[in-house]
Amino acid sequence: MRHTLPLLLLLFGCSPPKDTFVGGVGEIARWEETSDGHVRIPLVAGLAWDPAQAAPGTLLKVAAREGPTVVIVTDVPDAPSPRALGTCAGAHASRIAVAASKGGIAMTAPTVDDDVRKGKHVPRVHYAVALDAKDAARPASLMSSWTYVLVGDRCVALGVSAVVRSKVDDTGSPDPEDLHRLERVFSAIAEGVETK
């Protein structure tokens, strides 16, 4: 994310809804399971999670109005064999870049970084997409981070995307509360994901 932040002095604004705290017991509000039953992820308390319409082949998609913030779980079928987390991340980052290019989407290049989770090195893919201007709203982008797990011989990508606005008094810097929400949701999933 450190390489993405300077690029986030992004362009246009949008008007996301005002964040509101939604109660839960402890840090985790609940667990969600993928449609194939092989992956369980924790969803943090404090956000209003609801199922969301997903593209065909998506294993799980839930969204919270805060941000808004979206969690997606999907397969990466084009990762080379033998499967490894690094090759999963590389194949997924390439697929994202190609799709954005074909769709004419302005975004930072998907970057693969090393993340340490529970003492293990795990790749993290991250990028940001500029959002269109809406009235006099603060500049904002949709930031995404992905982590990866192996389920048998399958690569599974777990992603979090959230709207990150600029600071009220500094449109060249991202709002720390928005960044915190993204990182909190992502970290809970990256550290708590369970496979079977």
Side-chain angles (χ1 to χ4, degrees), residues 53-100:
Q53 185 174 4
T58 301
L59 299 170
L60 174 70
K61 185 174 180 182
V62 291
R65 67 178 172 263
E66 295 80 17
T69 304
V70 178
V71 172
I72 298 175
V73 181
T74 189
D75 280 319
V76 184
D78 50 346
S81 293
R83 302 284 198 246
L85 296 180
T87 58
C88 291
H92 193 223
S94 294
R95 188 194 317 168
I96 292 165
V98 167

Short mmCIF file of all heavy atoms in Angstrom, two decimals, residues 53-100:
data_model
loop_
_atom_site.label_atom_id
_atom_site.label_comp_id
_atom_site.label_asym_id
_atom_site.label_seq_id
_atom_site.Cartn_x
_atom_site.Cartn_y
_atom_site.Cartn_z
N GLN A 53 -24.99 -8.69 -4.77
CA GLN A 53 -25.09 -9.39 -6.05
C GLN A 53 -23.69 -9.63 -6.58
O GLN A 53 -22.86 -8.72 -6.64
CB GLN A 53 -25.90 -8.57 -7.04
CG GLN A 53 -26.13 -9.27 -8.35
CD GLN A 53 -27.06 -8.50 -9.27
OE1 GLN A 53 -27.49 -7.40 -8.96
NE2 GLN A 53 -27.37 -9.08 -10.41
N ALA A 54 -23.42 -10.88 -6.97
CA ALA A 54 -22.08 -11.27 -7.40
C ALA A 54 -22.08 -11.71 -8.85
O ALA A 54 -23.08 -12.20 -9.37
CB ALA A 54 -21.56 -12.40 -6.51
N ALA A 55 -20.94 -11.56 -9.50
CA ALA A 55 -20.77 -12.04 -10.87
C ALA A 55 -20.74 -13.56 -10.87
O ALA A 55 -20.39 -14.19 -9.85
CB ALA A 55 -19.46 -11.49 -11.43
N PRO A 56 -21.11 -14.19 -11.98
CA PRO A 56 -21.05 -15.65 -12.05
C PRO A 56 -19.64 -16.15 -11.71
O PRO A 56 -18.64 -15.56 -12.12
CB PRO A 56 -21.39 -15.95 -13.51
CG PRO A 56 -22.16 -14.76 -13.97
CD PRO A 56 -21.61 -13.60 -13.22
N GLY A 57 -19.56 -17.21 -10.96
CA GLY A 57 -18.28 -17.78 -10.56
C GLY A 57 -17.71 -17.23 -9.27
O GLY A 57 -16.75 -17.77 -8.73
N THR A 58 -18.29 -16.14 -8.76
CA THR A 58 -17.84 -15.58 -7.48
C THR A 58 -18.30 -16.50 -6.36
O THR A 58 -19.45 -16.91 -6.31
CB THR A 58 -18.40 -14.16 -7.29
OG1 THR A 58 -17.95 -13.33 -8.36
CG2 THR A 58 -17.94 -13.56 -5.97
N LEU A 59 -17.40 -16.82 -5.44
CA LEU A 59 -17.71 -17.73 -4.35
C LEU A 59 -18.44 -17.04 -3.20
O LEU A 59 -19.17 -17.68 -2.46
CB LEU A 59 -16.43 -18.39 -3.83
CG LEU A 59 -15.66 -19.22 -4.86
CD1 LEU A 59 -14.30 -19.62 -4.32
CD2 LEU A 59 -16.47 -20.45 -5.26
N LEU A 60 -18.20 -15.75 -3.02
CA LEU A 60 -18.83 -15.00 -1.94
C LEU A 60 -18.69 -13.50 -2.23
O LEU A 60 -17.64 -13.06 -2.69
CB LEU A 60 -18.15 -15.31 -0.60
CG LEU A 60 -18.61 -14.50 0.62
CD1 LEU A 60 -20.03 -14.89 1.02
CD2 LEU A 60 -17.66 -14.71 1.79
N LYS A 61 -19.75 -12.75 -1.95
CA LYS A 61 -19.67 -11.28 -2.03
C LYS A 61 -20.60 -10.71 -0.98
O LYS A 61 -21.79 -11.04 -0.95
CB LYS A 61 -20.06 -10.78 -3.41
CG LYS A 61 -19.88 -9.27 -3.56
CD LYS A 61 -20.14 -8.82 -4.99
CE LYS A 61 -19.96 -7.31 -5.13
NZ LYS A 61 -20.25 -6.86 -6.51
N VAL A 62 -20.05 -9.90 -0.10
CA VAL A 62 -20.83 -9.18 0.91
C VAL A 62 -20.38 -7.73 0.89
O VAL A 62 -19.26 -7.41 0.52
CB VAL A 62 -20.67 -9.78 2.33
CG1 VAL A 62 -21.31 -11.15 2.43
CG2 VAL A 62 -19.21 -9.85 2.74
N ALA A 63 -21.30 -6.84 1.29
CA ALA A 63 -20.99 -5.42 1.25
C ALA A 63 -21.52 -4.74 2.51
O ALA A 63 -22.49 -5.18 3.11
CB ALA A 63 -21.62 -4.77 0.02
N ALA A 64 -20.84 -3.67 2.88
CA ALA A 64 -21.27 -2.82 3.99
C ALA A 64 -21.43 -1.42 3.44
O ALA A 64 -20.63 -0.97 2.62
CB ALA A 64 -20.25 -2.83 5.12
N ARG A 65 -22.48 -0.72 3.89
CA ARG A 65 -22.71 0.65 3.38
C ARG A 65 -21.63 1.61 3.85
O ARG A 65 -21.42 2.66 3.25
CB ARG A 65 -24.10 1.13 3.79
CG ARG A 65 -24.28 1.34 5.28
CD ARG A 65 -25.68 1.88 5.61
NE ARG A 65 -25.90 1.89 7.04
CZ ARG A 65 -26.53 0.95 7.70
NH1 ARG A 65 -27.02 -0.08 7.07
NH2 ARG A 65 -26.68 1.03 9.01
N GLU A 66 -20.97 1.28 4.96
CA GLU A 66 -19.90 2.15 5.47
C GLU A 66 -18.75 2.12 4.46
O GLU A 66 -18.19 1.08 4.19
CB GLU A 66 -19.43 1.70 6.84
CG GLU A 66 -20.48 1.81 7.92
CD GLU A 66 -21.49 0.66 7.91
OE1 GLU A 66 -21.21 -0.39 7.30
OE2 GLU A 66 -22.55 0.82 8.53
N GLY A 67 -18.43 3.25 3.96
CA GLY A 67 -17.38 3.37 2.95
C GLY A 67 -17.94 3.78 1.60
O GLY A 67 -17.77 4.90 1.20
N PRO A 68 -18.61 2.93 0.84
CA PRO A 68 -18.94 1.53 1.10
C PRO A 68 -17.71 0.62 1.03
O PRO A 68 -16.68 0.99 0.48
CB PRO A 68 -19.95 1.20 0.00
CG PRO A 68 -19.70 2.19 -1.07
CD PRO A 68 -19.16 3.41 -0.42
N THR A 69 -17.88 -0.58 1.59
CA THR A 69 -16.83 -1.58 1.65
C THR A 69 -17.39 -2.90 1.12
O THR A 69 -18.50 -3.27 1.48
CB THR A 69 -16.36 -1.76 3.11
OG1 THR A 69 -15.95 -0.48 3.61
CG2 THR A 69 -15.21 -2.74 3.22
N VAL A 70 -16.62 -3.59 0.28
CA VAL A 70 -17.07 -4.84 -0.33
C VAL A 70 -16.01 -5.91 -0.12
O VAL A 70 -14.81 -5.64 -0.25
CB VAL A 70 -17.32 -4.66 -1.84
CG1 VAL A 70 -17.74 -5.97 -2.49
CG2 VAL A 70 -18.36 -3.58 -2.09
N VAL A 71 -16.47 -7.13 0.20
CA VAL A 71 -15.59 -8.29 0.34
C VAL A 71 -15.98 -9.29 -0.75
O VAL A 71 -17.16 -9.60 -0.92
CB VAL A 71 -15.73 -8.94 1.73
CG1 VAL A 71 -14.97 -10.25 1.81
CG2 VAL A 71 -15.27 -7.98 2.81
N ILE A 72 -14.98 -9.80 -1.48
CA ILE A 72 -15.22 -10.77 -2.56
C ILE A 72 -14.25 -11.92 -2.39
O ILE A 72 -13.07 -11.72 -2.09
CB ILE A 72 -15.01 -10.13 -3.94
CG1 ILE A 72 -16.00 -8.99 -4.17
CG2 ILE A 72 -15.12 -11.17 -5.05
CD1 ILE A 72 -15.78 -8.22 -5.45
N VAL A 73 -14.75 -13.14 -2.62
CA VAL A 73 -13.91 -14.34 -2.66
C VAL A 73 -14.15 -15.00 -4.01
O VAL A 73 -15.30 -15.21 -4.41
CB VAL A 73 -14.25 -15.31 -1.52
CG1 VAL A 73 -13.33 -16.53 -1.58
CG2 VAL A 73 -14.13 -14.62 -0.15
N THR A 74 -13.06 -15.31 -4.72
CA THR A 74 -13.17 -15.90 -6.05
C THR A 74 -11.98 -16.82 -6.34
O THR A 74 -10.93 -16.70 -5.70
CB THR A 74 -13.26 -14.79 -7.14
OG1 THR A 74 -13.56 -15.38 -8.39
CG2 THR A 74 -11.98 -13.99 -7.21
N ASP A 75 -12.16 -17.74 -7.28
CA ASP A 75 -11.07 -18.60 -7.72
C ASP A 75 -10.16 -17.84 -8.68
O ASP A 75 -10.58 -16.90 -9.35
CB ASP A 75 -11.62 -19.83 -8.45
CG ASP A 75 -12.11 -20.92 -7.50
OD1 ASP A 75 -11.44 -21.17 -6.48
OD2 ASP A 75 -13.16 -21.51 -7.79
N VAL A 76 -8.90 -18.28 -8.76
CA VAL A 76 -7.94 -17.79 -9.75
C VAL A 76 -7.56 -19.00 -10.59
O VAL A 76 -6.53 -19.64 -10.35
CB VAL A 76 -6.70 -17.15 -9.09
CG1 VAL A 76 -5.77 -16.56 -10.16
CG2 VAL A 76 -7.10 -16.08 -8.08
N PRO A 77 -8.39 -19.37 -11.57
CA PRO A 77 -8.17 -20.62 -12.30
C PRO A 77 -6.96 -20.61 -13.22
O PRO A 77 -6.46 -21.68 -13.59
CB PRO A 77 -9.47 -20.79 -13.11
CG PRO A 77 -10.01 -19.41 -13.27
CD PRO A 77 -9.60 -18.66 -12.03
N ASP A 78 -6.48 -19.42 -13.60
CA ASP A 78 -5.37 -19.36 -14.55
C ASP A 78 -4.00 -19.30 -13.88
O ASP A 78 -3.00 -19.05 -14.55
CB ASP A 78 -5.56 -18.16 -15.48
CG ASP A 78 -5.85 -16.87 -14.74
OD1 ASP A 78 -6.16 -16.91 -13.54
OD2 ASP A 78 -5.78 -15.80 -15.38
N ALA A 79 -3.92 -19.55 -12.57
CA ALA A 79 -2.62 -19.58 -11.89
C ALA A 79 -1.85 -20.80 -12.38
O ALA A 79 -2.41 -21.88 -12.53
CB ALA A 79 -2.80 -19.62 -10.39
N PRO A 80 -0.55 -20.65 -12.64
CA PRO A 80 0.23 -21.78 -13.14
C PRO A 80 0.41 -22.87 -12.10
O PRO A 80 0.37 -22.62 -10.90
CB PRO A 80 1.58 -21.15 -13.51
CG PRO A 80 1.65 -19.88 -12.74
CD PRO A 80 0.24 -19.42 -12.51
N SER A 81 0.60 -24.09 -12.57
CA SER A 81 0.88 -25.23 -11.68
C SER A 81 2.38 -25.43 -11.63
O SER A 81 3.08 -25.16 -12.60
CB SER A 81 0.20 -26.49 -12.22
OG SER A 81 -1.20 -26.33 -12.14
N PRO A 82 2.93 -25.95 -10.53
CA PRO A 82 2.20 -26.27 -9.29
C PRO A 82 1.77 -24.99 -8.60
O PRO A 82 2.47 -23.98 -8.64
CB PRO A 82 3.22 -27.05 -8.47
CG PRO A 82 4.56 -26.57 -8.96
CD PRO A 82 4.36 -26.23 -10.41
N ARG A 83 0.63 -25.05 -7.97
CA ARG A 83 0.06 -23.87 -7.32
C ARG A 83 0.90 -23.44 -6.13
O ARG A 83 1.37 -24.26 -5.35
CB ARG A 83 -1.36 -24.16 -6.83
CG ARG A 83 -2.31 -24.61 -7.91
CD ARG A 83 -2.75 -23.45 -8.78
NE ARG A 83 -3.94 -23.78 -9.53
CZ ARG A 83 -3.99 -23.90 -10.84
NH1 ARG A 83 -2.91 -23.72 -11.56
NH2 ARG A 83 -5.12 -24.20 -11.44
N ALA A 84 1.07 -22.14 -6.00
CA ALA A 84 1.76 -21.53 -4.86
C ALA A 84 1.15 -20.16 -4.67
O ALA A 84 0.62 -19.57 -5.61
CB ALA A 84 3.25 -21.43 -5.12
N LEU A 85 1.20 -19.62 -3.46
CA LEU A 85 0.58 -18.33 -3.19
C LEU A 85 1.14 -17.22 -4.08
O LEU A 85 0.39 -16.37 -4.56
CB LEU A 85 0.72 -17.97 -1.72
CG LEU A 85 0.00 -18.89 -0.72
CD1 LEU A 85 0.23 -18.41 0.71
CD2 LEU A 85 -1.49 -18.99 -1.03
N GLY A 86 2.44 -17.24 -4.30
CA GLY A 86 3.05 -16.20 -5.13
C GLY A 86 2.58 -16.25 -6.57
O GLY A 86 2.32 -15.21 -7.18
N THR A 87 2.45 -17.45 -7.13
CA THR A 87 1.98 -17.56 -8.52
C THR A 87 0.49 -17.23 -8.61
O THR A 87 0.03 -16.70 -9.62
CB THR A 87 2.27 -18.95 -9.11
OG1 THR A 87 1.66 -19.96 -8.30
CG2 THR A 87 3.78 -19.19 -9.20
N CYS A 88 -0.26 -17.55 -7.57
CA CYS A 88 -1.68 -17.15 -7.52
C CYS A 88 -1.79 -15.63 -7.60
O CYS A 88 -2.57 -15.09 -8.40
CB CYS A 88 -2.33 -17.62 -6.23
SG CYS A 88 -2.54 -19.40 -6.06
N ALA A 89 -1.02 -14.95 -6.77
CA ALA A 89 -1.06 -13.49 -6.72
C ALA A 89 -0.62 -12.89 -8.04
O ALA A 89 -1.25 -11.94 -8.55
CB ALA A 89 -0.19 -12.98 -5.58
N GLY A 90 0.45 -13.41 -8.63
CA GLY A 90 0.95 -12.88 -9.89
C GLY A 90 -0.07 -13.03 -11.01
O GLY A 90 -0.30 -12.10 -11.80
N ALA A 91 -0.70 -14.22 -11.10
CA ALA A 91 -1.71 -14.45 -12.14
C ALA A 91 -2.92 -13.55 -11.93
O ALA A 91 -3.47 -13.00 -12.89
CB ALA A 91 -2.13 -15.93 -12.13
N HIS A 92 -3.32 -13.38 -10.69
CA HIS A 92 -4.49 -12.55 -10.40
C HIS A 92 -4.20 -11.08 -10.70
O HIS A 92 -5.04 -10.39 -11.30
CB HIS A 92 -4.89 -12.74 -8.93
CG HIS A 92 -6.23 -12.18 -8.61
ND1 HIS A 92 -6.47 -11.47 -7.46
CD2 HIS A 92 -7.41 -12.21 -9.27
CE1 HIS A 92 -7.74 -11.10 -7.43
NE2 HIS A 92 -8.34 -11.54 -8.52
N ALA A 93 -3.03 -10.60 -10.32
CA ALA A 93 -2.65 -9.21 -10.61
C ALA A 93 -2.64 -8.96 -12.12
O ALA A 93 -3.13 -7.92 -12.59
CB ALA A 93 -1.29 -8.89 -10.01
N SER A 94 -2.14 -9.93 -12.89
CA SER A 94 -2.12 -9.80 -14.35
C SER A 94 -3.53 -9.76 -14.90
O SER A 94 -3.85 -8.95 -15.80
CB SER A 94 -1.36 -10.96 -14.99
OG SER A 94 -0.01 -10.90 -14.64
N ARG A 95 -4.42 -10.62 -14.38
CA ARG A 95 -5.80 -10.65 -14.85
C ARG A 95 -6.50 -9.31 -14.57
O ARG A 95 -7.23 -8.80 -15.41
CB ARG A 95 -6.57 -11.78 -14.18
CG ARG A 95 -7.94 -11.93 -14.81
CD ARG A 95 -8.93 -12.75 -14.08
NE ARG A 95 -8.49 -13.98 -13.49
CZ ARG A 95 -9.23 -14.66 -12.62
NH1 ARG A 95 -10.42 -14.21 -12.27
NH2 ARG A 95 -8.81 -15.78 -12.10
N ILE A 96 -6.26 -8.74 -13.39
CA ILE A 96 -6.87 -7.45 -13.02
C ILE A 96 -6.39 -6.35 -13.97
O ILE A 96 -7.18 -5.55 -14.47
CB ILE A 96 -6.55 -7.10 -11.56
CG1 ILE A 96 -7.28 -8.06 -10.61
CG2 ILE A 96 -6.92 -5.65 -11.25
CD1 ILE A 96 -6.76 -8.03 -9.18
N ALA A 97 -5.08 -6.32 -14.24
CA ALA A 97 -4.51 -5.30 -15.11
C ALA A 97 -5.08 -5.39 -16.52
O ALA A 97 -5.42 -4.37 -17.14
CB ALA A 97 -2.99 -5.41 -15.14
N VAL A 98 -5.20 -6.61 -17.05
CA VAL A 98 -5.74 -6.80 -18.39
C VAL A 98 -7.20 -6.37 -18.45
O VAL A 98 -7.63 -5.67 -19.38
CB VAL A 98 -5.58 -8.27 -18.84
CG1 VAL A 98 -6.40 -8.57 -20.08
CG2 VAL A 98 -4.10 -8.58 -19.08
N ALA A 99 -7.99 -6.76 -17.47
CA ALA A 99 -9.42 -6.40 -17.44
C ALA A 99 -9.58 -4.88 -17.36
O ALA A 99 -10.44 -4.31 -18.04
CB ALA A 99 -10.11 -7.07 -16.25
N ALA A 100 -8.77 -4.22 -16.55
CA ALA A 100 -8.86 -2.76 -16.43
C ALA A 100 -8.49 -2.09 -17.74
O ALA A 100 -9.15 -1.14 -18.18
CB ALA A 100 -7.96 -2.27 -15.31
#
